[in-house]
Amino acid sequence: MSKATRTDTPHDADSHDLIRVHGARVNNLKDVSVEIPKRRLTVFTGVSGSGKSSLVFSTIAAESQRMINETYSAFLQGFMPTLARPEVDVLEGLTTAIIVDQQRMGTDPRSTVGTATDANAMLRILFSRLGKPHIGSPQAFSFNVASISGAGAVTLERGGRTVKERREFSITGGMCPRCEGRGSVTDIDLTALYDDSKSLNEGALTIPGYSMDGWFGRIFNGCGFFDADKPIRKFTKRELNDLLHKEPTKIKVEGINLTYEGLIPRIQKAMLSKDVDSLQPHIRAFVERAVTFTTCPECDGTRLNEGARSSKIGKVNIADACQMQISDLAEWVRALDEPSVAPLLATLRHTLDSFVEIGLGYLSLDRPSGTLSGGEAQRTKMIRHLGSSLTDVTYVFDEPTIGLHPHDIQRMNKLLEQLRDKGNTVLVVEHKPETIAIADHVVDLGPGAGTAGGTVCFEGTIEGLRASDTITGRHFDDRATLKEQVRKPTGKLPIRRAKTHNLQNVNVDIPLGVLVVVTGVAGSGKSSLVHGSIPASEDVVSVDQTPIRGSRRSNPATYTGLLEPIRKAFAKTNGVKPALFSSNSEGACPNCNGAGVVYTDLGMMAGVANPCEVCEGKRFDTSVLDYHFGGRDISQVLSMPVAEAKDFFAEGEGKLPAAHTILTRLSDVGLGYLTIGQPLTTLSGGERQRLKLATHMAGKGGTYVLDEPTAGLHLADVNQLLALLDRLVDSGKSVIVVEHHQAVMAHADWIIDLGPGAGHDGGKIVFEGTPTDLVKSRSTLTAEHLATYVGL
């Protein structure tokens, strides 16, 4: 066989070694022009909000995806999401972009780690071939497929005659019929649905959104199944059953055809079929109050019916396999020797080994995908790319080290280098110096955030970045020092025999009145200890990593509640209604309905958004802008940055203490540059988390529980966060932080280190004490990395 050889003759194709970007103006980018080398690892740095994501994701990756979509026929493009061309003059040298971002994975209750990575699909094929007894095809092992059967007569034309034949069909699925593949069943507290001393017309229903003033009132009054003026406690059994459990039934009310359905099936469809965390806050509060989720007694939480659980390979059924820690499952699969399915076993082994290689060997395939952190979700998405044969692809990563212990960051760096060494272009948005250090090329954006950013401050090598006078260059080698004196606790929070997830009967006393850092390798049990063992109460304010949701009409003013006192102040000063000063209510511009832009749908092509010609993008009706407070109209107030608004509402004509308090909190978390009317959809991940932290700082709790607050923070911003944590503790609060950043560990008064490994190799307390004692002990992985970090 001949072997292809490459001559030394120059070829035009070899000249395309750069991705060229000229004149990028997406979001806050100011005519940015960069040249990015292909088949190299390029890291984009800069303070949060400097424009990194706008350049990498919204410009380079977005244009690559748009151009790929344009290769499909117009018919197919009609079914695909339409993407607008980014605001950029020239983009050359693009290759196919694969985006591996931090978006949480689907929160469907039936989505698991196994279904999201195709590992479950391969396991189902394996059991359908090797399982004893044989029960059917792979779908017989799927908890998403129900077993159904039916029979009846079918009419067909045959030989010029109409013939009736009896036909039967059956589908064997693996879904548990009791919980419908969810693994848990719900028990609804009827007292939380209604007050039985009242009638429906007297407002007996306490379910959010179920008002007798609208359609529900018409349906309940016109259905004829019960008397809506009679107290519910006086209902007969049949009437109560119709109110609660009646199947969907067609009724006619006031000449209109409607469907009546009992309260419980309606609640199950509208609220309980969704993940609890994805519900609106007031609906989630109702669900948590009214509904008890318990493990399904029929399948014991495995989601599978008895048939699927009865088929085994050796002594293991598919439910047992999915419950195993993935590192253990990989060993079990490796021990299988069956030539008839050798290719399948090889692929399954590779997938499971990839989990272990990427640092997720502590997960199990039955873990709900909605419970994964942003970092875990991103690494799970990486798995399908590790064994890919594709080369000359652009991989785009969004802070892949989030949620990783310094020990795990080294492993992630190797994976990024492997992707590059296969001939791919790797673009990484990152803040951690350990990952920036492995870059072949660095692009530093800034110098500040928001309108103060959006320019390229440095392009070149790591050595050049260190020598540069940029914020990143100045702080690149920053190292925190250990505290000389630590605070003394004012009390303790005892946790006894904690067993959540992989915790192994953990007993620990968390000191109160000080800054406590809980650390350990990814999967060691930190979140299980903190979120699973510290009881939720009015005294505990918990800020986790769940992303804040908001449409393009939401902004920091609406999210934090800042708009409410501002609207009331405008209304009081001008003697009009507060609703006039909301672009989502009576004050909205009638042409754009308060959106500020007019959207034009162009069918299969990307829609076009043009600034509204009537309000000029201000979102308010022109008559509303005649009203002033402190010499400014409502649109001028909403266009102020937080720092300017804070000064405006502090004194003088615009003095408004309620608004000033909220703006002070936003400034404290480092968001002084944000415009208070800026759409939430334009904020970066780090900005959203700090916005959430600022909102929770208003809580009355005495204990703050923070989950990796340094996520998305630049090296220069970490010091500001530490100052904020110090202020919270000095004001009498107890602060408990789950964190991997060594600067936060060094700043702690007390450290609780979990480990020694992940999954069933973790779940134990391996150290309790001060940071100084931890460094002296050198007894754990955390101790080694912290000692190196502080230079000891």
Side-chain angles (χ1 to χ4, degrees):
M1 182 182 290
S2 64
K3 188 174 180 180
T5 57
R6 183 169 176 170
T7 64
D8 293 331
T9 308
H11 196 289
D12 288 345
D14 299 329
S15 64
H16 300 281
D17 286 333
L18 295 172
I19 296 174
R20 294 182 178 86
V21 182
H22 291 287
R25 296 177 297 279
V26 175
N27 295 332
N28 67 331
L29 297 180
K30 298 170 182 173
D31 273 325
V32 165
S33 297
V34 292
E35 292 189 342
I36 302 163
K38 287 185 182 177
R39 294 175 288 282
R40 295 294 183 270
L41 175 59
T42 300
V43 175
F44 294 79
T45 63
V47 296
S48 182
S50 60
K52 304 182 298 297
S53 295
S54 297
L55 176 60
V56 178
F57 289 94
S58 303
T59 304
I60 298 171
E63 178 65 357
S64 173
Q65 287 201 318
R66 187 186 72 83
M67 296 182 78
I68 290 169
N69 286 0
E70 284 191 349
T71 63
Y72 296 106
S73 68
F75 173 75
L76 284 178
Q77 287 184 53
F79 297 96
M80 299 169 73
T82 53
L83 302 169
R85 187 183 188 278
E87 254 194 283
V88 60
D89 294 334
V90 179
L91 265 176
E92 293 178 342
L94 293 179
T95 67
T96 303
I98 295 176
I99 299 174
V100 189
D101 59 18
Q102 288 181 48
Q103 290 293 323
R104 292 294 181 100
M105 300 179 76
T107 55
D108 186 285
R110 292 199 187 93
S111 176
T112 65
V113 170
T115 59
T117 56
D118 297 337
N120 257 45
M122 289 184 275
L123 268 183
R124 292 198 298 268
I125 298 171
L126 185 68
F127 274 87
S128 71
R129 300 289 191 276
L130 305 182
K132 303 290 187 220
H134 176 75
I135 61 167
S137 67
Q139 68 183 10
F141 297 90
S142 172
F143 53 75
N144 286 321
V145 179
S147 294
I148 56 174
S149 60
V154 295
T155 304
L156 51 116
E157 294 286 333
R158 184 180 294 160
R161 291 185 302 117
T162 300
V163 180
K164 283 190 175 182
E165 290 183 1
R166 180 176 173 78
R167 295 280 176 88
E168 295 181 357
F169 77 93
S170 67
I171 296 174
T172 304
M175 180 187 288
C176 168
R178 175 81 166 83
C179 65
E180 297 183 337
R182 289 185 173 88
S184 62
V185 291
T186 54
D187 187 18
I188 297 177
D189 179 8
L190 298 183
T191 61
L193 304 186
Y194 55 78
D195 178 353
D196 67 356
S197 66
K198 297 179 180 178
S199 69
L200 291 172
N201 284 330
E202 289 173 337
L205 297 182
T206 55
I207 309 166
Y210 283 64
S211 166
M212 294 296 286
D213 297 331
W215 279 107
F216 284 114
R218 291 191 188 186
I219 291 172
F220 288 135
N221 278 299
C223 66
F225 300 129
F226 40 71
D227 183 357
D229 289 315
K230 184 165 71 172
I232 293 178
R233 66 172 52 160
K234 294 185 178 179
F235 276 20
T236 64
K237 280 188 177 179
R238 180 167 181 173
E239 287 174 331
L240 190 59
N241 184 70
D242 286 345
L243 174 66
L244 296 176
H245 302 289
K246 196 169 185 68
E247 293 297 314
T249 306
K250 297 287 184 185
I251 60 172
K252 200 163 198 172
V253 178
E254 299 174 13
I256 301 171
N257 291 322
L258 298 169
T259 300
Y260 174 85
E261 187 175 17
L263 291 177
I264 288 177
R266 186 179 281 273
I267 289 171
Q268 286 173 331
K269 286 177 187 173
M271 301 178 187
L272 305 187
S273 61
K274 301 173 184 173
D275 185 73
V276 177
D277 292 331
S278 68
L279 298 173
Q280 292 178 333
H282 67 291
I283 296 177
R284 186 193 314 170
F286 164 75
V287 169
E288 290 172 348
R289 183 177 71 249
V291 183
T292 305
F293 295 88
T294 55
T295 302
C296 175
E298 195 162 309
C299 68
D300 197 26
T302 63
R303 305 164 178 253
L304 295 160
N305 60 27
E306 189 177 350
R309 301 197 308 272
S310 68
S311 183
K312 298 182 178 181
I313 299 175
K315 295 182 180 179
V316 175
N317 64 27
I318 192 168
D320 299 330
C322 290
Q323 286 172 346
M324 287 184 194
Q325 186 167 302
I326 289 175
S327 56
D328 296 339
L329 179 60
E331 293 302 319
W332 179 77
V333 171
R334 195 168 282 110
L336 295 177
D337 183 18
E338 185 59 50
S340 63
V341 288
L344 174 67
L345 285 172
T347 307
L348 182 56
R349 283 185 201 120
H350 178 269
T351 300
L352 297 175
D353 287 342
S354 296
F355 271 103
V356 178
E357 186 182 352
I358 210 165
L360 294 177
Y362 59 88
L363 297 178
S364 60
L365 293 183
D366 66 353
R367 169 89 172 259
S369 58
T371 65
L372 299 180
S373 69
E376 287 172 334
Q378 183 168 219
R379 282 178 282 153
T380 300
K381 294 173 192 173
M382 279 183 73
I383 285 167
R384 65 177 62 232
H385 304 302
L386 293 181
S388 172
S389 301
L390 292 172
T391 60
D392 266 330
V393 170
T394 300
Y395 285 97
V396 187
F397 292 93
D398 187 8
E399 294 186 57
T401 60
I402 278 188
L404 289 184
H405 188 271
H407 171 71
D408 299 311
I409 290 176
Q410 297 171 354
R411 182 185 278 167
M412 175 59 73
N413 286 348
K414 287 180 182 176
L415 293 172
L416 295 173
E417 289 172 335
Q418 281 176 22
L419 285 173
R420 175 202 62 192
D421 294 344
K422 284 171 60 179
N424 297 305
T425 305
V426 181
L427 308 182
V428 183
V429 173
E430 188 54 81
H431 291 295
K432 292 280 175 64
E434 297 97 323
T435 298
I436 300 173
I438 67 166
D440 302 308
H441 189 72
V442 178
V443 178
D444 188 33
L445 285 103
T451 54
T455 60
V456 175
C457 299
F458 173 81
E459 254 191 291
T461 62
I462 292 297
E463 292 71 24
L465 178 67
R466 276 196 170 100
S468 70
D469 194 33
T470 66
I471 293 179
T472 307
R474 290 197 300 271
H475 290 274
F476 189 77
D477 292 310
D478 277 4
R479 294 296 180 264
T481 54
L482 296 171
K483 277 184 174 179
E484 293 183 7
Q485 283 189 319
V486 295
R487 302 178 183 92
K488 292 188 177 179
T490 57
K492 63 182 181 181
L493 177 66
I495 293 175
R496 297 290 177 264
R497 301 183 66 80
K499 298 180 181 178
T500 307
H501 297 138
N502 66 327
L503 295 179
Q504 301 179 24
N505 278 331
V506 168
N507 296 313
V508 64
D509 291 325
I510 298 179
L512 298 177
V514 296
L515 175 59
V516 178
V517 170
V518 180
T519 188
V521 296
S524 60
K526 304 180 298 297
S527 295
S528 300
L529 178 68
V530 173
H531 296 300
S533 305
I534 296 177
S537 66
E538 292 182 2
D539 194 49
V540 176
V541 177
S542 180
V543 186
D544 58 19
Q545 286 191 35
T546 51
I548 64 175
R549 291 176 169 81
S551 67
R552 55 177 176 252
R553 287 180 176 270
S554 303
N555 52 52
T558 58
Y559 183 80
T560 59
L562 171 65
L563 190 59
E564 198 61 27
I566 293 175
R567 287 168 54 200
K568 287 180 179 176
F570 266 92
K572 185 177 180 181
T573 303
N574 295 284
V576 292
K577 293 190 296 184
L580 279 176
F581 303 100
S582 169
S583 61
N584 296 325
S585 186
E586 293 181 28
C589 165
N591 187 50
C592 64
N593 293 322
V597 291
V598 176
Y599 293 91
T600 307
D601 185 8
L602 299 178
M604 70 167 191
M605 296 166 63
V608 177
N610 293 311
C612 175
E613 295 177 359
V614 176
C615 68
E616 298 177 341
K618 294 180 180 178
R619 304 174 67 177
F620 290 90
D621 187 24
T622 50
S623 62
V624 175
L625 301 181
D626 292 334
Y627 300 114
H628 291 77
F629 174 75
R632 304 207 183 190
D633 64 43
I634 185 68
S635 70
Q636 291 172 328
V637 169
L638 291 176
S639 63
M640 288 184 193
V642 166
E644 183 185 338
K646 177 184 166 188
D647 294 338
F648 175 76
F649 289 114
E651 55 191 6
E653 292 180 21
K655 186 174 182 180
L656 190 60
H660 183 258
T661 302
I662 296 172
L663 289 162
T664 301
R665 289 198 295 267
L666 287 170
S667 183
D668 285 345
V669 297
L671 295 177
Y673 60 88
L674 275 191
T675 303
I676 63 175
Q678 184 176 337
L680 287 187
T681 51
T682 64
L683 302 189
S684 68
E687 288 169 336
R688 289 186 181 213
Q689 186 163 12
R690 282 180 284 159
L691 183 61
K692 189 176 182 181
L693 175 60
T695 307
H696 283 284
M697 280 172 62
K700 305 296 183 190
T703 302
Y704 280 77
V705 178
L706 309 179
D707 194 350
E708 295 188 55
T710 60
L713 281 189
H714 185 264
L715 302 163
D717 296 324
V718 173
N719 290 332
Q720 187 171 3
L721 175 72
L722 293 176
L724 172 63
L725 298 180
D726 279 340
R727 283 200 298 275
L728 283 172
V729 175
D730 293 339
S731 68
K733 309 286 187 185
S734 301
V735 180
I736 303 166
V737 184
V738 175
E739 189 54 82
H740 293 294
H741 202 296
Q742 297 101 316
V744 182
M745 294 182 206
H747 201 74
D749 298 307
W750 193 259
I751 285 185
I752 298 172
D753 193 14
L754 280 94
H760 57 47
D761 296 326
K764 299 174 184 173
I765 302 289
V766 291
F767 177 84
E768 287 180 82
T770 64
T772 303
D773 292 338
L774 176 63
V775 169
K776 284 180 182 176
S777 73
R778 298 264 181 155
S779 58
T780 68
L781 283 169
T782 304
E784 291 287 346
H785 285 280
L786 183 57
T788 304
Y789 182 82
V790 298
L792 294 176

